[in-house]
Amino acid sequence: MMAVSPEVLAVFRLRVENASCISSHLTWGFPSPTAFVGFGHALERRLHAQGYALNVVGVGVVCHQFSPQVEPAGYNTLQLSLARHPLESDGSSPALVEEGKAHLDISVVLGLSGAAVQAVWPSQQQVSPDTQAFLNQVYAHMLHMRLAGGSVFAHPARPVMLAWQNEDPQQQSRKLYRRLLPAFALLDRSELLSTHQTWLAQHPPFVAEHGDTPPTRLDSLLDLVRLNLGSSTPDHSTDTEPETADSATDMTTPAVRWHVRPRPAHQTGWLVPLPLGYGALTELQPAGSVDGARDADSPVAFVESLLGIGEWVSPHRITNLAALLWAYHPDTTDGVYRVYQPFSSAGMADAYLQYTNDM
């Protein structure tokens, strides 16, 4: 086991149809980062089978367009557009399948490392034939795979590869901006949960409603991702509305004016709830001991979704695009199996800390 870092970044434009947009028990919308990390892992296994000695050490996602398959269901509400399977053998109609789908136009940013990458190291002057052939091979594999359950289609824009080590990350990132814009990139901001939890414990409306009961992480998550309404009572001494027959009643029960609560300083940005992986509900069970498991050769544990906070950011605001890369971070001791962004923190861009890979 040894720590690895990306030697190149490869960027691919893809169109994904009918991807799953229900990624946890509480959220729906853009697919979870776990879907993209799993996509990179499946791609790595395909390339290993072809004889390529490389690792996909991280997968980043940049969204250009997101079209959920929904339809109006009354005033200011939406419902999922459900699919119906073909008729049964006896001619009866099957039940509707309650599953959410969406169409995506995305760029997938792959962090690559290994001997096969060194063999096709891109030149700073021009893309060599070996580099282009390697990109075409990787791209062809991606088009035969599933991403978040959706079908992957080619995009008119062609993939690119840039050498990342021994180069200025900011200069390299600027070379990719024009290929990525207009779009939004997904970053992990789960550290805001603890910050907002501390802030919420001192917020007067929360204290007035819950008393001495401190806010939980779930309270912090729900408060972060919704519009919170506050009320205020107008001063009747400055009220210029004409008096009515109920003016005496209005003076005793003044009208309440509702407004959206201003966000605190730490809550700026386009924040969304984000499924980040799974937490174990049971001990790790030996391989083959659980009936009905998909893989009889791997240990099994019953899990539930882990939720955090993500932020959509324009790529031109990211100084180092390696910060977009998501990777696995399994903790079998505590039963936490999640993804994280190892390059996002200062000082981690040159060392892929806490993530190891079998070379």
Side-chain angles (χ1 to χ4, degrees), residues 264-313:
H266 65 268
Q267 201 179 350
T268 57
W270 185 0
L271 302 178
V272 293
L274 192 63
L276 294 176
Y278 304 94
L281 298 175
T282 64
E283 298 291 336
L284 201 61
Q285 307 299 314
S289 62
V290 178
D291 293 337
R294 292 186 178 182
D295 186 358
D297 300 325
S298 302
V300 178
F302 293 93
V303 299
E304 64 179 353
S305 296
L306 296 178
L307 296 177
I309 294 293
E311 181 179 5
W312 289 105
V313 181

Side-chain angles (χ1 to χ4, degrees), residues 144-161:
H144 288 83
M145 297 170 58
R146 290 276 185 168
L147 177 54
S151 302
V152 181
F153 297 92
H155 191 277
R158 304 310 301 164
V160 296
M161 177 184 285

Side-chain angles (χ1 to χ4, degrees), residues 12 47 52 127-144 158-161:
F12 301 86
L47 294 174
Y52 287 99
V127 177
S128 67
D130 291 339
T131 301
Q132 191 59 53
F134 172 75
L135 282 175
N136 293 338
Q137 180 78 1
V138 175
Y139 200 53
H141 278 293
M142 297 173 75
L143 297 180
H144 288 83
R158 304 310 301 164
V160 296
M161 177 184 285

Side-chain angles (χ1 to χ4, degrees), residues 45-289:
R45 298 181 63 175
R46 280 175 170 254
L47 294 174
H48 283 178
Q50 294 292 322
Y52 287 99
L54 62 80
N55 284 342
V56 179
V57 299
V59 182
V61 56
V62 180
C63 181
H64 305 276
Q65 185 175 1
F66 174 71
S67 302
Q69 301 305 290
V70 295
E71 57 188 18
Y75 176 73
N76 203 29
T77 59
L78 297 173
Q79 68 180 9
L80 298 172
S81 299
L82 304 182
R84 184 185 293 275
H85 289 297
L87 296 178
E88 303 286 356
S89 58
D90 58 357
S92 61
S93 298
L96 288 172
V97 180
E98 190 173 0
E99 52 185 7
K101 300 295 184 180
H103 302 331
L104 314 175
D105 187 359
I106 60 174
S107 287
V108 177
V109 182
L110 298 179
L112 303 176
S113 177
V117 175
Q118 293 283 352
V120 294
W121 193 275
S123 169
Q124 297 301 314
Q125 286 75 30
Q126 60 183 0
V127 177
S128 67
D130 291 339
T131 301
Q132 191 59 53
F134 172 75
L135 282 175
N136 293 338
Q137 180 78 1
V138 175
Y139 200 53
H141 278 293
M142 297 173 75
L143 297 180
H144 288 83
M145 297 170 58
R146 290 276 185 168
L147 177 54
S151 302
V152 181
F153 297 92
H155 191 277
R158 304 310 301 164
V160 296
M161 177 184 285
L162 288 178
W164 208 253
Q165 290 188 345
N166 303 322
E167 296 290 341
D168 181 10
Q170 296 186 15
Q171 182 180 0
Q172 293 285 71
S173 298
R174 285 194 293 268
K175 293 180 180 180
L176 295 177
Y177 287 155
R178 283 187 292 180
R179 293 181 178 269
L180 296 178
L181 293 173
F184 288 92
L186 187 59
L187 297 179
D188 184 12
R189 297 298 307 278
S190 296
E191 75 279 359
L192 292 179
L193 282 176
S194 58
T195 303
H196 195 69
Q197 188 176 8
T198 303
W199 178 89
L200 199 61
Q202 304 171 357
H203 189 52
F206 184 89
V207 174
E209 182 177 355
H210 296 85
D212 296 334
T213 304
T216 64
R217 286 294 181 93
L218 180 59
D219 292 329
S220 178
L221 174 69
L222 296 177
D223 194 79
L224 270 172
V225 300
R226 69 190 177 203
L227 290 178
N228 295 280
L229 296 179
S231 61
S232 61
T233 303
D235 185 1
H236 284 274
S237 61
T238 58
D239 195 351
T240 59
E241 294 182 1
E243 295 185 359
T244 62
D246 296 331
S247 59
T249 304
D250 293 339
M251 291 298 293
T252 57
T253 57
V256 176
R257 295 179 180 176
W258 294 93
H259 58 84
V260 177
R261 188 190 73 196
R263 288 188 170 191
H266 65 268
Q267 201 179 350
T268 57
W270 185 0
L271 302 178
V272 293
L274 192 63
L276 294 176
Y278 304 94
L281 298 175
T282 64
E283 298 291 336
L284 201 61
Q285 307 299 314
S289 62

